[in-house]
């Protein structure tokens, strides 16, 4: 029976790449197996913590100072016992991989004391915890690195012309900052026009982020020729299709011309944008359907709509409206059903959208860009 319980416990520990949760799972399993009080002393380089993830009666744990001293002096290669007074002992089990100590599992049960058989079970329980903590530590390190990369790649996009206000939001999915292929960009064009772009490279991780950077780079190069949106997409598609390792991506381009009160749209497998009217009504703008970038299929078309100072244009990636097990049209309907305060600013509009669609708990990353033409005479002075 104890071996069956041990096998069950081992299958439940270290499955999340979350070090705190792994330590808590470990101590709970130790208490469940033997009825002891268990805690972890976390080790991070020269730093040694107090007791963490305590399971059971904290008063049963020994003074932590001898454990701290043992860690700093170099703990034994295997379990050791620590006298706790009154003839009682605590069992200390290193949580380690070759060459690195991640912590010590401390188990104590005053009455009756732990038996040799129970000590053996606890040693078997603790043995895989070191590699689990190593993997969690590496995951956190990589997540921090890719999080820095994501923030750098998603830095404030290029400034639009002063006749256009723009606000951008990016929300990573899940509890940790997860790099992905969602991005936004603005590009100044001649004659007061601004190009607004959102894109989404398929997949997650560093590879998707690298491809996202490549798409943004090709966009900036192509837009220097001032082509219409559908031809920009065609050239981006040609470039991406010529690179076999480049992941496909969806993309939406909006060329805003405040002087003419117009927006010209073209999409590559991307969801249509939304326009919020002065009366706070919301409507989707029909968009000609084109294949994702990188397929080499081409066939992109543009559509032009009125867009004046009473309108707010909202571009977004599918993480905003897509939910697992649900048709995406339901998410689009929820977006179209949102209502906004009168004279709401762009940041207020984005707050309302993200809150109304519960985007902070989305299954995928979310990028959203809101833009509104300025009335003549309200433009900022050039910087």
């Amino acid at each position: 029976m104890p071996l069956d319980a041990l096998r069950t416990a081992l299958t439940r520990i270290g499955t999340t790449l979350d070090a705190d949760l792994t330590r808590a799972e470990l101590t709970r399993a130790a208490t469940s197996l033997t009825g002891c009080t268990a805690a972890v002393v976390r080790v991070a380089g020269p730093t040694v913590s107090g007791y963490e993830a305590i399971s059971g009666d904290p008063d049963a744990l020994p003074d932590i100072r001898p454990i701290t001293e043992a860690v700093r002096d170099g703990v034994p290669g295997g379990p050791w016992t620590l006298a706790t007074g009154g003839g009682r002992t605590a069992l200390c089990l290193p949580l380690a991989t070759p060459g690195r100590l991640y912590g010590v599992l401390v188990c104590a049960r005053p009455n009756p004391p732990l038996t040799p058989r129970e000590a053996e079970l606890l040693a078997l329980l603790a043995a895989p915890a070191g590699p689990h903590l190593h993997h969690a530590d590496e995951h956190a390190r990589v997540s921090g690195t890719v999080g820095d990369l994501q923030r750098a790649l998603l830095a404030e996009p290029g400034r639009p012309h002063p006749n256009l206000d723009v606000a951008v939001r990016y929300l990573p999915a899940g509890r940790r900052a997860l790099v992905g292929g969602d991005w936004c960009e603005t590009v100044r064009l001649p004659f007061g026009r601004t190009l607004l772009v959102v894109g989404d490279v398929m997949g997650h991780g560093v590879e998707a982020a690298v491809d996202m950077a490549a798409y943004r780079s090709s966009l900036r190069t192509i837009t220097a020729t001032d082509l219409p949106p559908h031809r920009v997409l065609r050239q981006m598609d040609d470039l991406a299709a010529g690179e076999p390792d480049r992941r496909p991506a969806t993309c939406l381009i909006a060329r805003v011309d405040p002087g003419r009160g117009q927006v010209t749209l073209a999409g590559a497998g991307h969801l249509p944008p939304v326009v919020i009217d002065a009366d706070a009504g919301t409507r989707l703008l029909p968009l000609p359907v084109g294949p994702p970038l990188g397929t080499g299929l081409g066939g992109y078309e543009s559509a032009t709509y009125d867009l004046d100072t009473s309108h707010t244009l909202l571009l977004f990636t599918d993480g905003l409206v897509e939910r697992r097990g649900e048709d995406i049209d339901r998410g689009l309907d929820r977006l179209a059903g949102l209502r906004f305060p009168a004279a709401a600013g762009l940041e207020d509009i984005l707050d309302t959208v993200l809150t109304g669609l519960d985007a902070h708990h989305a299954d995928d990353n979310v990028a959203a860009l809101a833009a509104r033409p300025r009335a003549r005479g309200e433009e900022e002075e050039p910087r």
Side-chain angles (χ1 to χ4, degrees):
M1 187 66 177
L3 286 177
D4 290 338
L6 175 64
R7 292 190 190 97
T8 300
L10 288 173
T11 63
R12 295 174 178 173
I13 296 173
T15 62
T16 62
L17 292 177
D18 184 314
D20 291 337
L21 184 54
T22 296
R23 286 186 281 266
E25 291 167 341
L26 179 63
T27 56
R28 286 197 299 265
T31 299
S32 176
L33 283 172
T34 65
C36 69
T37 293
V40 170
V41 178
R42 180 167 49 88
V43 178
T47 303
V48 183
S49 76
Y51 285 124
E52 297 183 358
I54 299 173
S55 176
D57 179 11
D59 292 336
L61 294 169
D63 186 341
I64 199 171
R65 286 175 293 183
I67 300 173
T68 300
E69 292 173 4
V71 168
R72 289 175 176 161
D73 292 342
V75 299
W80 79 94
T81 57
L82 179 69
T84 61
R88 297 191 297 266
T89 60
L91 180 65
C92 300
L93 303 118
L95 308 176
T97 57
R100 181 166 179 183
L101 178 68
Y102 289 90
V104 177
L105 174 65
V106 181
C107 301
R109 192 182 66 195
N111 291 303
L114 291 169
T115 67
R117 177 63 171 164
E118 289 172 326
E120 182 180 359
L121 285 175
L122 290 171
L124 292 172
L125 180 71
H132 289 322
L133 291 171
H134 167 73
H135 294 148
D137 185 68
E138 286 298 296
H139 178 71
R141 182 184 64 79
V142 172
S143 294
T145 300
V146 297
D148 292 340
L149 172 62
Q150 186 77 67
R151 283 186 287 274
L153 293 174
L154 292 169
E156 190 71 17
R159 290 184 62 236
H161 281 286
N163 58 12
L164 188 69
D165 286 329
V166 172
V168 174
R169 295 286 180 87
Y170 173 80
L171 296 177
R175 295 175 60 242
R176 297 181 182 273
L178 178 65
V179 160
D182 297 45
W183 56 282
C184 301
E185 186 63 274
T186 69
V187 181
R188 286 195 185 199
L189 298 175
F191 311 113
R193 298 165 301 156
T194 298
L195 209 65
L196 308 176
V197 188
V198 294
D200 184 1
V201 178
M202 295 181 185
H204 295 291
V206 175
E207 295 84 358
V210 169
D211 284 342
M212 177 255 282
Y215 279 112
R216 291 182 74 174
S217 177
S218 64
L219 169 77
R220 296 187 187 110
T221 300
I222 294 166
T223 53
T225 59
D226 195 16
L227 294 171
H230 68 283
R231 292 189 60 190
V232 172
L233 289 178
R234 185 185 305 166
Q235 292 207 17
M236 292 178 69
D237 179 51
D238 288 342
L239 287 173
E243 300 180 16
D245 295 332
R246 179 86 71 90
R247 298 184 180 199
T250 67
C251 187
L252 173 62
I253 296 180
R255 187 179 67 190
V256 181
D257 187 344
R260 293 186 177 183
Q262 292 181 335
V263 58
T264 300
L265 305 167
H270 205 88
L271 293 173
V274 159
V275 163
I276 302 165
D277 297 320
D279 62 358
T282 306
R283 57 191 171 94
L284 292 169
L285 292 182
L287 185 67
V289 178
L293 301 176
T295 62
L297 298 175
Y300 306 106
E301 300 178 26
S302 293
T304 299
Y305 297 94
D306 292 335
L307 187 76
D308 59 34
T309 57
S310 67
H311 298 139
T312 298
L313 183 69
L314 178 67
L315 288 68
F316 52 91
T317 56
D318 58 7
L320 180 67
V321 293
E322 192 173 41
R323 298 295 179 266
R324 187 177 292 113
E326 178 183 275
D327 191 278
I328 199 168
D329 286 338
R330 292 190 62 183
L332 291 172
D333 289 342
R334 279 194 295 269
L335 174 58
L338 293 176
R339 291 296 178 265
F340 301 88
L346 296 184
E347 295 292 346
D348 294 332
I349 285 175
L350 288 177
D351 285 339
T352 299
V353 169
L354 297 177
T355 301
L357 299 180
D358 195 25
H360 294 274
H361 299 97
D363 300 319
D364 198 359
N365 299 341
V366 176
L369 183 154
R372 179 187 297 156
R374 284 174 174 260
R376 291 184 181 273
E378 294 182 356
E379 298 174 8
E380 294 177 337
E381 292 295 326
R383 295 179 185 178

